[in-house]
Amino acid sequence: MLEFPRWKYLVILLVLALSVIYALPNVFQSDYAVQITGNRGAVLDDVLKSRVVDQLGKAGVQPGSVAIENDSLMVRLTDADAQTRAADGLREGLGENYTVALNLASNVPAWLQGLGAQPMVLGLDLQGGVHFVLQVDQKAALEKRIDSYVEDVRVTLRDNRIRYTAVDRRPDHSIAVNLAADADPAKAREQLAKVMPTLAVEGTGNRLVVRIPEAELTQIAGSAIEQNIATLRNRVNQLGVAEPIIQRQGNDRIVVQLPGVQDTAAAKRMIGATATLEYRAVVDGNAADALASGRVPPEAKVYKRRDGTPILLNKRVIVTGDQMVAATSAVDQNGQPAVSVTLNNVGGDRMFDFTSQNVGKPMAVVYTERIPQVTLVDGQEVRSFRVMEEVINVANISGVFGKNFQTTGLEKAEADELAKLLRAGSLAAPMDFVEERIVGPSLGKENVERGVTAVLYAFIFTLVFFGVYYRMFGLVTGIALLFNLLIVVAVMSLFEATMTLPGFAGLVLSIGLSVDANVLINERIREELRAGVPPKTAIVTGYEKASGTILDANLTAIIAGIALYAFGTGPLKGFALTLMIGIMASMFTAITVSRALVTLIYSRRKKLKSLAI
């Protein structure tokens, strides 16, 4: 009997319906766009829309639309040239309160997005993407490391009970140490050399100089680039970007290419942000009087709260964002946004020591951010950074704590973004965007067209051959192959896998493997017919005997694909991923779908004397 369970028909129909839904977003092409987001509470409203339209008019750009979409103001444009001119004009006109970024805006209908359907992620070689060039401030990295050495000198002397009157950095990157009159200089030199063996401790008597060798200075500048690259990779992973390109360019630049990014403003903030937290002790005294008179205690510095009122904080930092190993956005016991922080061992020990000695006293949390600025001096662009330091929370220490605690005083969006930055790690040196553009749209379009053409011709040639050679069974094979392509596109779109140019090669190869499976089935049915087996029995026997061979053959191909994906990089991963998805889809369509169609065609014929094969 030629039978096929009804529940399998239902499964096939369900897979077909889901494949159509999740493959459909790929029909809708993205628009060139400029995305505008507010920084630290800046409002997106009709007034801003009017300003944007005015600025676009001054730049000679006619937008397709200007509308608020998903907490951003999106300006849709017709081509890449208009996009570039619009971005330049808006950056100049809107100022620092807004982030202006290039984008590719999706046109997928809302009802599809509500079902979680998104277009397939195309690689940089197909769709193009956002190209950033960042300049690393190596001088700031050097200053940051020297400040760390200064603090290490102070902590070493203090821990070993060696009194000192001053520890200061000099312009030549050395550290001057003035010991107290009753201090032991030999012990000081011994302990400093023990804690910092790569540095040279010189001087006689109570005046010592800690020098950083030239090789160490060079190594600090070079390692700043490498640490920034590692941090950028972590931050891009937080964005969920598939197959990014992050590489060094020259001595002080980093190139970042993000294929198919939909929220470039968020990407730009995440990549270039140098925001972090610092925990400092509060110094007794009237900050307003100290600021007015200029008599600030030597161990203190004046900071501003969010409401603008001044507060005196200790210059010594208890712990910083560099010492945080985990951070998650959470809510406190009052339901307010917070960041749950876990420190490393050094930071945990410092926090434990400080809180143990200061229960009941206030501690402040300082939010620090370096904002890049560009000014014109004699017609030349001069790039610099403005450091913004803001006290976001001051609270009394209610009990002793160490590695784990919460920080409050942030808005929900700030808590989410700060948690991502702390998880990704801090930058060794601040960076400035010196170049930003959308790359490869014309080349990507050509590559996509060529890839689609290759797949189309492979499908047409296969369909014609099977139609001529296997007749009705060839038509069934063609329908199964079309279903196979639909499943591959839907699966890659659903799981946001990246389709690259080598991925098209993997797709064509998976079509070839699907053809092999159908050839095995059809030839097995022919053999049964030549042996005198009745047509319906030949169909059942052909599918049953061929299925095991197909599974064995495709299993070896999947193992090869797994190896390529596990050990390959970039294009090899794209090829392997598409190949594996295509193979699994081809097994389903060749063994199950084609059999369902053949059963549907021939099962109702009571006296079947021959097959069109």
Side-chain angles (χ1 to χ4, degrees):
M1 293 292 292
L2 186 58
E3 295 180 351
F4 196 77
R6 290 186 178 181
W7 68 268
K8 289 189 177 181
Y9 280 113
L10 293 176
V11 170
I12 292 172
L13 290 175
L14 179 61
V15 172
L16 177 61
L18 292 175
S19 297
V20 170
I21 290 173
Y22 287 102
L24 192 58
N26 295 282
V27 175
F28 301 95
Q29 298 295 317
S30 299
D31 290 333
Y32 291 100
V34 175
Q35 182 182 9
I36 302 167
T37 55
N39 297 331
R40 303 188 63 75
V43 180
L44 302 175
D45 53 13
D46 292 335
V47 176
L48 177 63
K49 288 173 63 176
S50 300
R51 287 179 60 191
V52 168
V53 172
D54 291 341
Q55 289 295 328
L56 292 174
K58 293 178 182 178
V61 176
Q62 181 63 40
S65 66
V66 179
I68 296 176
E69 303 177 16
N70 299 324
D71 300 325
S72 299
L73 185 64
M74 196 71 73
V75 181
R76 294 176 180 261
L77 302 152
T78 55
D79 54 46
D81 180 63
Q83 182 189 44
T84 302
R85 288 188 287 116
D88 292 341
L90 291 173
R91 285 194 186 101
E92 183 178 350
L94 298 182
E96 296 179 2
N97 290 331
Y98 298 93
T99 297
V100 179
L102 306 180
N103 206 342
L104 295 170
S106 173
N107 280 316
V108 177
W111 67 273
L112 277 175
Q113 294 185 17
L115 295 173
Q118 296 292 339
M120 186 190 305
V121 179
L122 299 180
L124 200 64
D125 54 350
L126 298 180
Q127 177 177 291
V130 184
H131 173 96
F132 296 126
V133 178
L134 299 107
Q135 181 90 34
V136 180
D137 187 352
Q138 292 178 314
K139 181 179 178 182
L142 197 58
E143 292 176 353
K144 183 178 178 181
R145 181 66 68 86
I146 294 173
D147 287 340
S148 175
Y149 282 143
V150 170
E151 183 63 24
D152 289 343
V153 170
R154 289 176 179 151
V155 171
T156 300
L157 295 176
R158 190 162 44 245
D159 290 347
N160 288 278
R161 303 181 183 276
I162 302 172
R163 297 179 58 198
Y164 63 91
T165 57
V167 177
D168 300 306
R169 53 178 297 176
R170 290 179 171 180
D172 62 351
H173 304 313
S174 63
I175 302 170
V177 180
N178 292 331
L179 301 177
D182 58 348
D184 184 353
K187 182 180 179 182
R189 283 194 295 271
E190 178 186 353
Q191 293 301 322
L192 290 174
K194 180 180 178 181
V195 174
M196 295 176 287
T198 60
L199 308 187
V201 182
E202 303 173 353
T204 57
N206 290 351
R207 294 179 179 271
L208 303 179
V209 177
V210 180
R211 298 193 182 278
I212 305 173
E214 195 65 34
E216 180 85 0
L217 296 175
T218 304
Q219 189 272 335
I220 291 171
S223 63
I225 298 279
E226 300 304 323
Q227 182 177 332
N228 277 17
I229 289 175
T231 301
L232 285 177
R233 293 190 191 281
N234 292 333
R235 291 185 176 185
V236 169
N237 288 338
Q238 295 288 336
L239 295 171
V241 178
E243 297 191 17
I245 296 174
I246 303 172
Q247 59 190 18
R248 182 171 180 168
Q249 184 184 76
N251 293 327
D252 58 356
R253 290 192 174 188
I254 298 174
V255 174
V256 179
Q257 294 180 342
L258 308 177
V261 171
Q262 289 299 312
D263 191 351
T264 52
K268 193 173 180 180
R269 286 197 305 271
M270 181 65 74
I271 288 171
T274 54
T276 188
L277 295 179
E278 294 178 347
Y279 295 83
R280 295 175 181 265
V282 178
V283 176
D284 293 333
N286 191 312
D289 292 344
L291 193 62
S293 63
R295 296 177 180 176
V296 179
E299 77 281 4
K301 180 180 177 182
V302 179
Y303 288 82
K304 292 288 184 69
R305 300 174 188 257
R306 287 200 158 177
D307 59 4
T309 57
I311 183 173
L312 290 174
L313 301 183
N314 198 304
K315 289 182 179 179
R316 184 188 175 192
V317 180
I318 304 168
V319 294
T320 69
D322 296 348
Q323 295 163 319
M324 297 177 192
V325 296
T328 56
S329 179
V331 292
D332 61 12
Q333 62 270 22
N334 299 318
Q336 298 300 311
V339 177
S340 295
V341 173
T342 301
L343 301 175
N344 60 18
N345 291 332
V346 175
D349 290 343
R350 287 190 178 182
M351 184 63 76
F352 179 81
D353 292 341
F354 179 81
T355 55
S356 299
Q357 301 170 13
N358 294 276
V359 174
K361 296 182 180 179
M363 181 175 68
V365 184
V366 182
Y367 179 89
T368 304
E369 184 175 5
R370 293 173 65 95
I371 302 171
Q373 291 182 311
V374 180
T375 56
L376 290 176
V377 178
D378 298 331
Q380 299 291 325
E381 287 189 354
V382 177
R383 300 179 182 273
S384 59
F385 290 88
R386 177 171 63 88
V387 179
M388 185 190 72
E389 296 176 318
E390 183 179 61
V391 178
I392 62 173
N393 188 22
V394 178
N396 289 334
I397 301 170
S398 58
V400 178
F401 56 86
K403 295 174 64 174
N404 300 296
F405 55 92
Q406 282 190 335
T407 294
T408 59
L410 295 160
E411 300 292 336
K412 179 67 169 65
E414 291 175 333
D416 291 341
E417 186 167 335
L418 185 59
K420 288 181 180 179
L421 288 174
L422 294 175
R423 280 198 303 271
S426 64
L427 295 170
M431 300 181 297
D432 187 20
F433 291 87
V434 296
E435 183 182 342
E436 175 191 355
R437 55 189 169 89
I438 296 290
V439 297
S442 59
L443 179 61
K445 182 178 179 182
E446 180 183 356
N447 285 341
V448 171
E449 290 175 350
R450 289 185 177 184
V452 170
T453 301
V455 174
L456 181 62
Y457 276 110
F459 178 76
I460 291 175
F461 290 155
T462 303
L463 188 62
V464 170
F465 172 78
F466 269 70
V468 172
Y469 196 73
Y470 291 114
R471 293 183 286 178
M472 180 58 72
F473 280 76
L475 179 61
V476 170
T477 298
I479 295 173
L481 287 179
L482 183 60
F483 198 179
N484 181 18
L485 287 176
L486 191 63
I487 292 174
V488 172
V489 173
V491 169
M492 295 194 71
S493 300
L494 179 61
F495 292 102
E496 299 182 354
T498 302
M499 173 63 81
T500 60
L501 194 58
F504 274 115
L507 187 57
V508 174
L509 183 57
S510 69
I511 292 175
L513 292 173
S514 181
V515 168
D516 289 342
N518 283 277
V519 168
L520 284 171
I521 293 170
N522 294 341
E523 289 300 325
R524 176 65 70 177
I525 294 173
R526 278 183 164 184
E527 288 180 7
E528 296 298 322
L529 290 172
R530 283 194 291 266
V533 176
K536 290 186 178 181
T537 305
I539 293 173
V540 174
T541 306
Y543 272 98
E544 288 179 352
K545 290 186 176 181
S547 297
T549 305
I550 293 170
L551 289 173
D552 291 341
N554 285 329
L555 182 60
T556 57
I558 289 176
I559 292 173
I562 293 173
L564 281 175
Y565 188 83
F567 301 107
T569 57
L572 277 179
K573 282 193 172 184
F575 173 82
L577 186 63
T578 311
L579 178 63
M580 287 187 291
I581 294 174
I583 289 172
M584 288 185 281
S586 71
M587 285 193 292
F588 173 72
T589 56
I591 297 173
T592 305
V593 175
S594 67
R595 183 168 184 175
L597 292 173
V598 169
T599 303
L600 198 62
I601 294 170
Y602 291 107
S603 62
R604 296 183 180 181
R605 299 185 186 182
K606 295 182 179 179
K607 296 181 180 181
L608 185 61
K609 296 182 179 181
S610 62
L611 295 176
I613 186 169

